[in-house]
Amino acid sequence: MNPAPPTDRFAPASGRLYEEATKYLPGGTSRIHYWFDPHPIYARSARGCRLTDVDGVERLDFLNNMTSLIHGHAHPVINAAIVAQLERGTAWSEPGEAEVELAKLIVSRVRSVERIRFGNSGTESVMLGVKLARAFTGRDRIGKFEGFYHGYYDYVQTSVRSSPSAWGPPDAPATTANSGGLSSSVLGEVVTFPFNDLAAVERLFARHGSTLACFLVDPLASQSGGPVPAPGFLDGLTALCRQHGVVLLYDEVVSFRIAPGGGQEKFGGTPDLTAFGKIIGGGLPVGAIGGRAEIMALLDPSGGGPRVLSGGTFSGNPLTMVAGLAALQMLTPEEFARLDRLGARIREGVNRVFENAGERIRMVGEGSLCRINPTADVVTDYRSFVKNAVSASRMGLLHRHLLDEGIIVSKAGMACLSTPMGEAEIDACVAAVDRAVAKLPR
Ligand SMILES: Cc1ncc(COP(=O)(O)O)c(C=O)c1O
């Protein structure tokens, strides 16, 4: 690995490309999550767990296209499946064999999923889940937890990053807009709940339960400090949804990478519907919604249906399907166990570095999913994640020093492992974090 050479200017070739890019792309990029000051690094190539930028600097990639590449970059088995499919066509109007095989595999692994429909992104999957729930219940509103991210569909771009001045009481959080451009009717159609407080959730259900079509939850809210559900919390939520006739929708777009059966296998609860994305596409664009046959039947055009229309020119395209199938087939229970061990090793090593340096920063996570949190407190919900947080500028400096030391994580501290990694890469990361932390101002 070539750590970045010391330069006066950060990643100069990326800087030049950024200047050019901003003439054509707002912010010089097609997505917000990788933008940071002074500019993103621009990638040129990647293989395994290493990515090389346009300056020729190679880094260990602990971000893996925002957690979607569980086998890292250009995995030979996935590549072979894609190349073989390229020869047979990239997209057909017709369904194909790999689509059936991938559906069968996911249904066999996820206990709550009886039928599945593929799409093109996690956002699209959440959107279709909400529509199915509305059609099934005849209700409009949705419930979600404060601080939880579920993509960029209007109804879920709410209360993701509420500020203390607007977030309202802890046991009945206000619903706030998280983006411009949301229809003004959206806020009234979303009820925001506090995570991990079952008594408060129960009280809010008593008030709003009969108006909710669905309740949306990420069993491991990787984007809001990774609070682990308290024992029994998701089972309690399941019971409340059943009692009030609310469709329970799990967002496993990210958490599906922590166990063969996803976050629901690890943390419990029984969703009616589950949204997937990221790793199930083997590195190509993907999404899927799966769940109880009775609800999924709303999508079935045979027998006079469907009541919920879903299309998507590239939904279930064979290129994504063969890549996803190859990726999931390689994710054996043994491979999950190995990733679990590596995950424990990196969290233990990195946290030793933070503790020794007296930094109030910690790495949390589950299995191959990690997050560098701006707090040493145990995060139980969004507010405990935000309270006592180390300044954003210190976290930004840490992100920049990590890049200089050859490590890629997101600017928000999101990180994950990939199967090409072993103990050597984990230990190299811990050593790099040690060097990066030493550069922070005392
Ligand atoms: C928990 C969660 N849900 C949904 C999404 C949206 O997925 P996509 O970016 O594929 O639209 C994301 C994306 O990061 C996510 O983290």
Side-chain angles (χ1 to χ4, degrees):
M1 189 173 56
N2 310 316
T7 50
D8 292 319
R9 246 185 96 203
F10 170 66
S14 280
R16 285 191 296 276
L17 193 50
Y18 176 69
E19 272 172 36
E20 180 72 358
T22 52
K23 294 180 196 160
Y24 313 104
L25 298 161
T29 169
S30 297
R31 57 218 281 220
I32 185 176
H33 293 95
Y34 195 78
W35 190 93
F36 52 82
D37 209 25
H39 56 76
I41 57 165
Y42 283 74
R44 173 155 292 154
S45 66
R47 181 163 288 272
C49 54
R50 292 177 167 79
L51 182 139
T52 303
D53 72 8
V54 291
D55 282 280
V57 175
E58 184 182 274
R59 296 180 177 85
L60 276 172
D61 189 359
F62 281 87
L63 193 47
N64 294 300
N65 190 29
M66 298 291 171
T67 77
S68 64
L69 304 172
I70 198 160
H71 297 295
H73 301 275
H75 191 287
V77 173
I78 300 176
N79 274 6
I82 292 173
V83 169
Q85 183 59 47
L86 279 175
E87 296 295 332
R88 301 191 295 264
T90 57
W92 308 313
S93 307
E94 294 73 11
E97 289 158 316
E99 190 177 345
V100 181
E101 286 306 307
L102 184 58
K104 204 195 283 185
L105 192 151
I106 295 172
V107 167
S108 74
R109 286 191 187 180
V110 186
R111 61 184 164 82
S112 66
V113 174
E114 296 173 325
R115 301 281 188 281
I116 190 161
R117 159 99 16 131
F118 292 108
N120 301 291
S121 73
T123 297
E124 207 185 290
S125 318
V126 168
M127 178 183 79
L128 189 52
V130 170
K131 276 193 187 166
L132 282 167
R134 286 186 176 138
F136 188 69
T137 60
R139 303 171 182 170
D140 286 338
R141 300 174 91 200
I142 71 166
K144 76 177 280 288
F145 288 114
E146 187 177 42
F148 280 42
Y149 179 78
H150 299 289
Y152 56 99
Y153 177 43
D154 283 27
Y155 295 89
V156 300
Q157 282 193 307
T158 56
S159 296
V160 181
R161 289 279 169 269
S162 300
S163 64
S165 60
W167 67 19
D171 58 350
T175 299
T176 61
N178 201 59
S179 169
L182 304 189
S183 156
S184 53
S185 64
V186 162
L187 296 186
E189 292 193 28
V190 180
V191 184
T192 307
F193 288 67
F195 190 63
N196 264 339
D197 182 348
L198 196 55
V201 170
E202 201 168 346
R203 284 194 299 275
L204 287 172
F205 258 90
R207 255 173 68 201
H208 303 289
S210 63
T211 68
L212 298 179
C214 72
F215 199 103
L216 181 57
V217 59
D218 179 345
L220 185 70
S222 49
Q223 308 233 14
S224 115
V228 171
F233 181 73
L234 293 176
D235 289 327
L237 182 64
T238 304
L240 284 167
C241 284
R242 300 286 182 273
Q243 187 188 331
H244 293 268
V246 177
V247 170
L248 182 55
L249 168 54
Y250 271 24
D251 175 350
E252 295 242 29
V253 170
V254 174
S255 62
F256 192 55
R257 67 152 45 229
I258 66 175
Q264 52 201 273
E265 176 184 313
K266 214 151 197 175
F267 295 117
T270 306
D272 300 293
L273 294 174
T274 301
F276 300 91
K278 307 236 186 208
I279 71 162
I280 69 161
L284 297 185
V286 77
I289 184 81
R292 277 169 49 199
E294 187 190 2
I295 303 178
M296 295 297 291
L298 293 169
L299 296 166
D300 185 352
S302 66
R307 280 171 56 203
V308 176
L309 296 178
S310 98
T313 302
F314 292 97
S315 295
N317 75 77
L319 218 47
T320 297
M321 296 296 105
V322 297
L325 190 58
L328 293 194
Q329 281 169 341
M330 285 190 286
L331 280 179
T332 58
E334 296 70 37
E335 201 54 2
F336 273 106
R338 194 179 72 86
L339 285 171
D340 283 356
R341 285 194 298 278
L342 291 179
R345 187 181 182 97
I346 195 168
R347 286 185 283 276
E348 197 269 324
V350 166
N351 283 333
R352 198 170 353 100
V353 167
F354 289 140
E355 278 171 40
N356 288 345
E359 288 294 336
R360 290 194 49 78
I361 300 173
R362 292 293 179 273
M363 181 179 265
V364 299
E366 195 67 36
S368 65
L369 207 54
C370 305
R371 180 173 198 95
I372 301 174
N373 271 348
T375 176
D377 297 342
V378 175
V379 171
T380 53
D381 60 3
Y382 173 64
R383 297 192 186 193
S384 63
F385 169 58
V386 172
K387 271 183 205 152
N388 307 322
V390 167
S391 72
S393 62
R394 193 167 186 84
M395 295 305 287
L397 262 184
L398 177 62
H399 176 246
R400 168 67 197 276
H401 291 328
L402 283 172
L403 278 176
D404 287 343
E405 294 299 338
I407 300 295
I408 300 174
V409 297
S410 86
K411 66 180 176 195
M414 190 186 211
C416 65
L417 310 183
S418 61
T419 58
M421 291 178 178
E423 291 184 356
E425 284 77 20
I426 301 302
D427 296 348
C429 179
V430 173
V433 173
D434 200 10
R435 294 192 300 274
V437 165
K439 291 185 191 168
L440 290 173
R442 292 291 121 208

